Amino acid sequence: MSLDGPPRPARENSPEDVRLRVPVHVVWELTLACNLKCQHCGSRAGRARPRELTTVESLDLVRRLAALGTREISLIGGEAYLRPDWIEIIREIRRHGIYCAIQTGGRALTDERLQAAVEAGLQGVGVSIDGPPPVHDRIRAMPGCYDSAVSALVRAKAAGLRTSANTVVGAPNFRLLPDVMDRIIGAGATHWQIQLAVAMGNAVDHDDLLLQPYQMLELMPLLARLHEEGDERGLMMIVGNNVGYFGPYERRWRDHFGEEVHWGGCAAGQTSIGLESDGTIKGCPSLSTTGYGAGNILETPLEELWGHADRLLFNRTRSIDELWGFCRTCYYAEVCRGGCTWTADSLFGRPGNNPYCHYRALQLESRGRRERIVKRREAPPESFAIGEFELIEEPIPGREADAASGGETARTSAPVRRLPPVREDGLAPELTLCRDCECFIWPDETTCPHCGGDVRAAAARHEEDVRRREGLLRDLTERIRLAQEGSAG
């Protein structure tokens, strides 16, 4: 690792990428064929689609993505390596200078397959690990698949690849995350991606896997602790787009490079593309095909779809008018825009009201209330199909009296939604930090709506602390230099 910190991923967006609508990161389902039967699989992977892109069509697609400015392609399935020409596709991706990684369950990522991929230029491998062996094997519905997953991670590390572990967090495994972290560090992972199980496909059939929204109150502090421990142990936690938002740990989730970074709204169709193996294009690989499939690259040129298809444009023109429920009146409405489109849409058949939000759970808790979901309709058998869930708000057990009183104190002190300044560059509004409580606030606030602190005074104290630390560091550096010169003399 360089002295300047960890290398920035190729997929990292710049304001210019957003302004020019560059499809920086593409997640490409090479095939729907799979050798696992994961209970949370949204695509219901198993068999290849009746018609999947040919080799010639795939290589042409790589060239078109390169021309649009794509910098990273993540190959997924099903299992990408079950497609016979996957090595040829990797080679073409690398020939165009695009970063290439695969995401895998690892069940049959043999030494021969891995070596061939390395020789073709593969740069990264992400392996799905959802818990210790009994839990992982049950969720992935295949005995022994934990051992093969860890083996794939170890061998990828030995081959010199950038290695990460991916964990889908749900009710059966979220309290086991400390154990998972120990295991993946032992296997050589340097990055750990966390995302929540979402009510789509197989997960609707197995809705006992889904967290309840009120469990954010337990999960988020746990993730924050593991994030800090991971930093100390050389493991970078990267939270998925459905983990958040704007609670006391928001900066920690987004800030990997010493910057004041916060969630800026769903990026589907803005700087990302999801590709299904038959050529269907979506703004995000996880979104439902029925609601968000924008067309097929075999029928309409990729460039035309990316530039003009309505189902890719929805996030570029989306406003708070599409928000509803709690999200519509939230303090962060204009910048957050309801969090992850996939999560909310999969629950309710439309985006704009996402109960899997730490800030939201905290606000409800302050009034003695919580939210939970109940399945009302099963999902059809197709890939990326959704069912229907009901959202129930209720008193927190044991705090019925507090909830019945209306929580007037909490309600009157709740942050009031602010209207941000209009931006003409199409970028999300920018927030600043309250240096007393480390929560994000609108830049024109003088009193922090979260902790009640004097925003300017806190900022001044922070700047003074920074100058003091910098002075101490300069002094220490000079002392070390003089000591080294003295010993050399």
Side-chain angles (χ1 to χ4, degrees):
M1 185 178 295
S2 73
L3 295 177
D4 294 325
R8 293 177 180 266
R11 74 179 71 174
E12 183 178 328
N13 298 330
S14 70
E16 191 72 359
D17 292 326
V18 178
R19 187 179 68 82
L20 297 176
R21 309 302 184 193
V22 177
V24 173
H25 183 214
V26 174
V27 181
W28 183 357
E29 172 200 283
L30 279 191
T31 178
L32 202 59
C34 192
N35 51 21
L36 294 174
K37 300 177 182 178
C38 303
Q39 294 181 355
H40 49 47
C41 180
S43 67
R44 300 190 188 276
R47 296 179 180 274
R49 296 181 188 274
R51 165 69 162 97
E52 299 189 330
L53 296 180
T54 66
T55 301
V56 171
E57 291 164 348
S58 297
L59 300 183
D60 180 65
L61 173 57
V62 173
R63 291 188 283 270
R64 289 176 178 270
L65 289 170
L68 286 174
T70 295
R71 298 197 293 269
E72 178 170 347
I73 295 178
S74 298
L75 301 178
I76 64 171
E79 278 290 2
Y81 58 72
L82 295 181
R83 183 175 165 126
D85 59 357
W86 74 298
I87 296 299
E88 193 172 349
I89 294 171
I90 291 173
R91 189 175 293 113
E92 183 69 7
I93 291 170
R94 294 298 301 126
R95 191 175 73 81
H96 286 277
I98 300 172
Y99 182 92
C100 183
I102 64 167
Q103 304 299 320
T104 176
R107 186 183 175 206
L109 186 58
T110 62
D111 289 338
E112 293 76 17
R113 283 173 166 153
L114 184 59
Q115 183 59 35
V118 170
E119 292 174 357
L122 185 70
Q123 293 161 287
V125 172
V127 182
S128 298
I129 298 179
D130 289 335
V135 175
H136 178 91
D137 288 2
R138 177 169 66 83
I139 292 174
R140 300 277 167 174
M142 192 64 63
C145 65
Y146 171 85
D147 292 337
S148 57
V150 171
S151 171
L153 189 58
V154 170
R155 289 182 288 113
K157 179 74 171 181
L161 297 175
R162 178 178 176 177
T163 51
S164 64
N166 312 310
T167 300
V168 178
V169 179
N173 69 342
F174 81 98
R175 294 189 180 95
L176 302 175
L177 292 177
D179 180 82
V180 174
M181 188 174 81
D182 288 341
R183 291 171 183 270
I184 64 176
I185 289 176
T190 57
H191 294 72
W192 187 19
Q193 178 160 320
I194 301 288
Q195 72 176 48
L196 306 183
V198 171
M200 172 177 278
N202 291 352
V204 182
D205 305 337
H206 303 280
D207 59 299
D208 59 309
L209 293 178
L210 302 175
L211 286 164
Q212 287 295 340
Y214 62 80
Q215 290 179 307
M216 296 300 99
L217 297 172
E218 183 178 356
L219 173 64
M220 292 301 188
L222 173 60
L223 289 182
R225 176 171 67 82
L226 295 178
H227 188 288
E228 185 174 346
E229 290 182 12
D231 284 345
E232 297 171 354
R233 300 173 66 184
L235 179 73
M236 178 184 288
M237 179 188 289
I238 302 171
V239 300
N241 288 336
N242 69 350
V243 178
Y245 308 86
F246 292 108
Y249 313 117
E250 173 62 23
R251 183 183 182 188
R252 190 171 302 184
W253 305 145
R254 323 293 168 193
D255 177 5
H256 301 297
F257 304 101
E259 301 162 355
E260 295 178 13
V261 182
H262 59 75
W263 171 255
C266 177
Q270 297 197 73
T271 56
S272 65
I273 288 178
L275 283 165
E276 295 182 2
S277 58
D278 63 356
T280 298
I281 182 174
K282 301 182 291 189
C284 167
S286 301
L287 289 169
S288 68
T289 309
T290 301
Y292 294 91
N296 193 294
I297 62 170
L298 299 180
E299 300 167 357
T300 307
L302 171 66
E303 300 81 0
E304 183 176 335
L305 290 172
W306 177 248
H308 305 289
D310 288 343
R311 288 183 174 181
L312 287 178
L313 296 175
F314 77 98
N315 245 342
R316 306 178 196 179
T317 57
R318 187 173 168 189
S319 72
I320 64 165
D321 292 338
E322 298 178 35
L323 302 183
W324 55 285
F326 183 99
C327 289
R328 181 59 182 266
T329 60
C330 179
Y331 177 80
Y332 296 106
E334 279 81 4
V335 63
C336 183
R337 296 185 300 169
C340 172
T341 301
W342 171 43
T343 303
D345 188 80
S346 297
L347 283 171
F348 310 122
R350 59 172 172 149
N353 188 27
N354 182 0
Y356 287 97
C357 168
H358 191 206
Y359 174 77
R360 175 170 172 162
L362 288 167
Q363 290 295 306
L364 289 167
E365 183 194 32
S366 72
R367 306 201 309 259
R369 303 190 68 79
R370 70 179 193 178
E371 290 177 320
R372 61 184 176 90
I373 56 169
V374 178
K375 182 170 66 176
R376 297 305 187 199
R377 180 172 58 83
E378 298 287 352
E382 292 80 22
S383 295
F384 301 103
I386 64 174
E388 183 180 336
F389 285 74
E390 179 183 357
L391 182 64
I392 297 172
E393 182 181 319
E394 63 189 10
I396 296 174
R399 293 181 58 183
E400 289 81 3
D402 183 30
S405 71
E408 291 301 326
T409 301
R411 194 195 317 279
T412 55
S413 63
V416 178
R417 190 177 129 228
R418 304 291 300 272
L419 295 177
V422 176
R423 295 190 58 150
E424 298 179 355
D425 55 11
L427 300 178
E430 292 182 357
L431 305 175
T432 190
L433 276 173
C434 167
R435 292 296 179 176
D436 273 343
C437 66
E438 293 292 300
C439 287
F440 282 96
I441 58 176
W442 291 105
D444 60 346
E445 300 276 21
T446 56
T447 300
C448 178
H450 305 291
C451 70
D454 183 320
V455 173
R456 291 175 183 170
R461 288 193 298 272
H462 172 73
E463 291 173 6
E464 179 60 30
D465 286 343
V466 170
R467 287 193 293 269
R468 181 178 56 82
R469 287 194 297 268
E470 289 176 345
L472 290 172
L473 181 60
R474 285 193 300 269
D475 182 63
L476 178 61
T477 302
E478 180 65 12
R479 289 173 180 270
I480 293 173
R481 184 185 67 79
L482 293 173
Q484 289 174 337
E485 289 178 355
S487 62

